[in-house]
Each structure stands twice: as C-alpha cells, then as structure tokens.
C-alpha cells in the first residue's frame, strides 16, 4: 500500500469518526440514544432502493459546486458565491425549458444544460473581471451577487414565468433530466441523469487541472501570482478564467436541481443550500476530484439518512452538527497529524 | 415629506444596528490577522441565546430584559468564537475553513437546542419584551431634527454608533489597539517587540464573538421577535461586506453598515414613497447590492486588508 495515500486518507477518515463520535455525545447528553439515532440514519440512507437513489441524487449537484469551489480556490480565490451562481444556472435552465417546451428532447436538454452553465460562468466571471481589472474583493462582490440573483429569481417566478404564483409549472419531459431507468431501479427516487454530468465533470476537471497547461497556470497563479506574472502568465486572464470555470460548474449544479430534482423554480428565502454545502464538500475532499466524489456521497448519506431520524424521535439537525464537526477536524488536521505522530512514536518506543 | 424621512431614518436605524455591531466585531478580528467568515454563525448563536434568555426572564426583568439579553447573546458569541480562536491560532486551521464550520454548525446546533427546549418545535415562542421605540428626553423636542432622529427611534442603533466611535478610539488610540494592529500587520515584528501575538489574536477573535453575538441578539429582539432558522439570513455576510467596504476602520464599517441598513429598509418601505410606488419591488431589493459593487469599483478600488491576515503565526522557539 502506498504510504503517502494512506497518510492522506488518515485525516479525513479520522475526522469522520470524530465527527460521528461528537454527534453521539451530543445525542447522549440530550437524552437520545445514539445507536438508535445512527441506525435510523443508516436505514434512512440505505434501507430501501429509493433512499439510495436519493443519496446519489443529493450528491450529484454537490460534486459540481464543490468542484467549482476547488477550481477557484486553487487559483487563489475564495468563491463564496457558489450558491448564487447555482441559482443563476437554475433560473436560466427553467427559463429556457419554459420558453421552448416543444423542441426535441436532445436539443432542448443540451440548450438548457449549456445555457445554465454559461449563466453561472458569466455570473461568476463578473466577480473575476472586477477583481482582475479593479482589484475589487471577490468576496464582497460574490456575496452581493448572491442577493441580486436571489431577488431577481423570485421576481422572475412571480412576474415573468407565472402570474403571481410562488412556483413555476413543471417543465416538460423534453427538458427533464430524469431517466426512467434510474428511477425504476431506485424505487421511484428523484435520481436523474445529472449523476452522469457530475461524474463527467470530475474526470474533465481532473484532466484540466493536472494535465493541461491551463490547469498548470491556474495552480501557479494560485501559489504565487507575482512569480507567475514574471514567467509570462497573465494573472488577470487566469483570474477571470478560474472564476468562469468555477461559476459554470456551480451553474451546472443549479441545472441539476432545476431539470433533475425539482423540475421547476420557486420563490426562495435564501440562496440554494448546495452552494455552502458544496464549499464544505470541497474542504472535506481536500479539493481533490476523487475526494470530492467520496465526500459528496458522505454528505448524501448524512443528509438523506438524517431525514429519517425524527422517526426515531431525534431532531435531524444533529446531522448538521456532525457535518460541521467533521469539517472542523479536517480544518484542524494539524492536531490530528500531531496525534498520529505521537501515537507512532509511542508505539515505536514500545517495540524497543 | 417629513413623515417619510422619519420612517426612512427610523427603519434604517433598526436594520443597521445588528450590522454595525457585527461589522465592528469583524474589524477587531481581522485587525488581529484572523479572518472571520463565521460572523453569520456567531449572530445565529447570539440571536438564539438572547431569544431564549428573553423568553425565560421577561417576567422577572421586565423592561430591562432585552438589554440583559444582549449581554447573554454577546457572551454566547464569545464562547462560540473561542473555537475559532483555538482552531486558527493554536490548531493551525485554515481561517476560512474554521469560519465556514461556525456557519455550518450554528444553525444546526441552535435549531437542535430550540427543539429540545420547545417541545420539538423548530422555532421559539414570540418574545414579549422587545426593543420598542425610544425617544431621547429633551432632544426629541428639537424641531424637525428631533422628529427625525430622536423621537420614536431605535435605542440599540445609537448604542451601536457609540460603540463604533469607541472601537475607533480603542483600535487607533490605545496601546491595546496598536498591538492588535501590529499583530495583524507583522506578527514577527510584534513578537520581537515582546507582544504576545497569540494573546492578541485571541482578544481580537473573542471581541468579534462578543460584538457579533450582540448583533444577533439585537436583530432577534428588534426585527423578528422569535428565533427560527430564518432569523439570520445573510446579515453576517453583509456585515462582513460592510467591514471590508469600510476598509477595516470602525467608523467606515459603521457608515457602510448604515448604508446597508438604509438599503434593506428601502426594500421594505420603497413602495410607500410617493411617485415611486410603481417601481417594481425587485429594483428596490436589488439596488443596494448592485450599488455596493458599483461604489466599490468606482470609488474604493482595492481594499487593503491587514497584511498578515489569514496566515497562521507559528512562534519559533
């Protein structure tokens, strides 16, 4: 076994164990039975094919927003606007789907998917452009843009796509990402073709970041913008590029919610959850495409499984506490690494 | 016209107060070099604890309840931000990761506790003692100005403004402030001069927790009147924007927070303004955020954060 790989896996695995332990302690202290709680969760995630389908359904858009966060992060940007970019893709996909409901499926689906990705990319590109051109903090700009698209989206639902209703009509079959086969094998879950988009994105981003010149430039700008500039790379071009790719990925995440999961657009109180959750997934996966896949599925298990916990009388919010603690331990991995090295030393002493 | 101005000013103050407190908190933390994107989560905990405290003590404390609850909210914020300080200062965690954890943890934890306390319901009861309207004695008698600024207005907002000036004084005119800034700009140099870098960072983060907690407590007791998952929706992030907008200067942060408060209140009262009632509300809602971006691009340019911000300082032995 590769020793480096084992070392890289140690921190996330230990973090997950610690997170679950902490959740158990919280349940114990609050007078709940953690074994009952976690069995309800596992049952809720794997008990029936339907639940398994929902786990992967929930994980698919998270993969995309997480990839979006990690691409921007690699290039040195903190893209806090994933949620807004996802919503942008969502709005665009539904608008297109409602505008041309009768186009042939292949054509309409392609238009909606590409349109959504483009919308997210352009939206994030604004923040990249302003940063590159004027040095404006991408953190503020993306936060502000989150609110702009939230209100625009709600306005679209009420005044453009419907007449004063709180949700649009369902999209036609021609624009739907649902695949009858996937629904059949998962007992009628909302699992949809988006999972293939997510898997394809993992491969594409992996190749892009690790094997291409563009990826190399993005990484080197992230590590040292001045040196990269000196080496003849345009840092402003890379800033915009990184944000556009990140936004397009997040936009795709929104497209999956639009055409796969919900099949409509509705009035929201806050920007979609997949934004901030995607950030957390990326952090847990350490920005690595495969790590992101695994942690998105873990999120799916925790969140979908958590929905069954109230059935055992335990508030489902415990899941959020567990997720947050897992990310906390990943973030404070220095402590875990320190503990590992201490344990190793002790065991070596023991052998002597 | 005067009536309109009165409404605009008073609702601006109501919406600004939580933002001012929280933005000031963020300023202290970031001046010490610790990024705090967890302000949102800290506000959630402040709002939750203040609301619960308010509900259980209103009978005893009466009219003082909301004020005492502010302190409770602030102290909860301190406890909660302690994790951020521990993680970023001693455990070498990425500041943004740690802040994100706070934001992920707070709503889950607060709603979990709400369910424990209130019979598995996701929201608290409605509080009885809230920040009502306050009129300054004597000052309210001044013609015009008294009506606009000093009559039936928001007391927490004036406290917030006062705290902003106090924070300015602390950060720029005291030895503590000088040390705080030194640690945020160049921790090595500060260390060489015998400043306890870790202690200053803790101070910065814990003050941000205190003020952020107060921010949440103000909000729940003057705007929403009960705690639920929907009580804090992005105000922490807006406060962070106000801090950056105000260039990490307490007065600047306060002015920016007032601007955001005005903008938020315009979304609510805009349609009442004569001559403009036909403007679709989406323009009112979106304007402040777009305006922020435009102002930032045109007039402010690059915001210069403290130099050593976001970096973990490791003391060499």
């Amino acid at each position: 076994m590769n020793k480096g790989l084992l070392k890289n896996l140690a921190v996330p695995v230990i973090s997950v164990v610690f997170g679950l332990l902490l959740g158990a302690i919280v349940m114990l202290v609050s007078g709940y039975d953690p074994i009952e709680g976690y069995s309800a969760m596992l049952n809720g995630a794997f008990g029936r094919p339907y639940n398994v389908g929902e786990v992967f359904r929930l994980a698919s858009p998270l993969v995309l927003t997480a990839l979006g966060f990690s691409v921007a992060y690699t290039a040195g940007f903190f893209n806090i606007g994933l949620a807004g970019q996802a919503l942008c893709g969502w709005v665009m996909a539904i608008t297109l789907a409602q505008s041309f409901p009768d186009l042939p499926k292949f054509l309409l689906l392609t238009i909606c998917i590409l349109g959504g990705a483009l919308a997210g990319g352009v939206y994030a590109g604004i923040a990249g452009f302003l940063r590159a051109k004027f040095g404006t903090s991408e953190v503020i700009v993306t936060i502000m843009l989150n609110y702009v698209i939230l209100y625009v989206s709600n306005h679209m639902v009420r005044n453009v796509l419907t007449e004063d209703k709180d949700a649009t009509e369902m999209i036609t079959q021609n624009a739907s990402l649902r695949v009858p086969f996937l629904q059949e094998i998962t007992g009628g879950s909302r699992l949809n073709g988006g999972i293939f988009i997510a898997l394809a994105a993992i491969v594409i981003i992996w190749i892009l970041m690790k094997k291409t010149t563009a990826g190399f430039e993005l990484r080197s700008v992230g590590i040292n913008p001045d040196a990269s500039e000196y080496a003849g790379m345009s840092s402003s071009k890379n800033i915009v590029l990184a944000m556009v790719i990140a936004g397009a990925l997040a936009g795709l995440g929104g497209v999956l919610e639009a055409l796969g999961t919900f099949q409509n657009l509705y009035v929201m109180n806050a920007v979609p959850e997949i934004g901030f959750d995607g950030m957390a997934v990326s952090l847990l996966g350490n920005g690595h495409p495969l790590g992101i896949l695994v942690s998105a599925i873990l999120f799916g298990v925790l969140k979908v499984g958590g929905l069954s916990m109230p059935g055992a009388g335990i508030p489902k919010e415990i899941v959020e506490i567990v997720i947050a603690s897992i990310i906390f331990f990943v973030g404070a991995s220095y402590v875990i690494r320190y503990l590992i090295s201490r344990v190793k030393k002790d065991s070596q002493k023991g052998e002597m | 016209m005067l009536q309109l101005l009165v409404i605009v000013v008073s609702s601006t103050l109501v919406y600004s107060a939580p933002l001012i407190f929280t933005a000031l908190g963020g300023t202290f933390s970031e001046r010490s070099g610790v990024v705090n994107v967890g302000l949102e989560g800290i506000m959630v905990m402040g709002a939750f604890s203040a609301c619960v405290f308010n509900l259980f003590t209103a009978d005893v404390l009466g009219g003082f309840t909301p004020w005492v609850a502010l302190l409770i909210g602030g102290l909860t914020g301190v406890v909660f931000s302690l994790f951020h300080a521990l993680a970023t200062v001693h455990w070498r965690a990425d500041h943004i990761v740690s802040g994100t954890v706070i934001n992920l943890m707070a709503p889950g934890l607060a709603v979990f506790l709400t369910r424990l306390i209130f019979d598995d319901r996701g929201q608290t009861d409605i509080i009885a003692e809230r920040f009502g309207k306050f009129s300054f004695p004597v000052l309210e008698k001044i013609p015009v100005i008294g009506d606009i600024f000093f009559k039936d207005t928001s007391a927490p907002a004036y406290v917030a403004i006062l705290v902003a000036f106090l924070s300015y004084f602390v950060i720029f005119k005291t030895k503590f402030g000088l040390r705080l800034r030194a640690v945020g700009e160049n921790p090595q140099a500060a260390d060489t001069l015998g400043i306890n870098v870790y202690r200053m960072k803790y101070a910065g983060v814990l003050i941000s927790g205190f003020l952020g907690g107060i921010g949440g407590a103000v909000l729940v007791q003057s705007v929403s009147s009960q705690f639920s998952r929907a009580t804090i929706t992005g105000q922490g992030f807006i406060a962070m924007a106000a801090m950056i907008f105000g260039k990490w200067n307490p007065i600047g942060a306060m002015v920016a927070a007032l601007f955001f408060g005005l903008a938020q209140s315009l979304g609510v009262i805009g349609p009442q303004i004569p001559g403009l009632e036909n403007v679709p509300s989406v323009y009112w809602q979106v304007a402040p955020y777009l305006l922020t971006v435009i102002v930032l691009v045109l007039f402010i340019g690059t915001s210069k954060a403290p130099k050593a911000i976001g970096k973990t300082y490791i003391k060499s032995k």
Side-chain angles (χ1 to χ4, degrees), chain A residues 16-161:
Chain A
V16 170
V17 173
F18 278 6
L20 290 169
L21 273 178
L22 200 94
I25 293 171
V26 173
M27 280 190 262
L28 265 181
V29 172
S30 326
Y32 300 115
D33 180 355
I35 295 175
E36 213 174 298
Y38 282 136
S39 8
M41 175 197 275
L42 285 177
N43 199 29
F46 301 110
R48 287 181 298 147
Y50 172 87
N51 307 45
V52 180
E54 283 292 302
V55 166
F56 285 97
R57 191 273 303 164
L58 194 136
S60 313
L62 286 184
V63 165
L64 293 162
T65 47
L67 284 173
F69 181 80
S70 75
V71 168
Y73 200 68
T74 314
F77 298 93
F78 184 56
N79 184 6
I80 206 169
L82 292 162
Q85 292 141 26
L87 184 53
C88 224
W90 191 329
V91 172
M92 182 59 94
I94 291 294
T95 308
L96 289 170
Q98 303 285 26
S99 308
F100 311 103
D102 301 322
L103 281 182
K105 176 148 189 158
F106 175 74
L107 194 62
L108 183 56
L109 206 49
T110 314
I111 292 176
C112 289
I113 292 171
L114 292 182
L118 189 71
V122 168
Y123 207 57
I126 297 172
F129 173 78
L130 294 178
R131 163 79 184 264
K133 191 92 184 159
F134 304 101
T136 320
S137 152
E138 80 275 18
V139 177
I140 304 195
V141 174
T142 51
I143 290 175
M144 295 298 130
L145 291 182
N146 275 353
Y147 290 97
V148 171
I149 188 64
L150 176 64
Y151 291 117
V152 169
S153 165
N154 288 346
H155 176 77
M156 293 272 295
V157 172
R158 288 213 173 97
N159 302 310
V160 182
L161 297 170

Side-chain angles (χ1 to χ4, degrees), chain B residues 161-210:
Chain B
I161 292 169
L162 197 71
V163 173
F165 284 101
L166 191 70
S167 304
Y168 177 85
F169 179 79
V170 169
I171 289 179
F172 290 106
K173 306 286 175 198
T174 63
K175 203 159 90 181
F176 170 80
L178 178 67
R179 289 179 168 177
L180 191 77
R181 284 183 290 136
V183 165
E185 294 290 336
N186 191 336
Q188 282 81 6
D191 201 350
T192 315
L193 291 173
I195 297 171
N196 187 330
V197 175
Y198 290 175
R199 196 190 293 164
M200 293 314 292
K201 282 178 183 283
Y202 267 85
V205 176
L206 295 188
I207 294 173
S208 85
F210 186 67

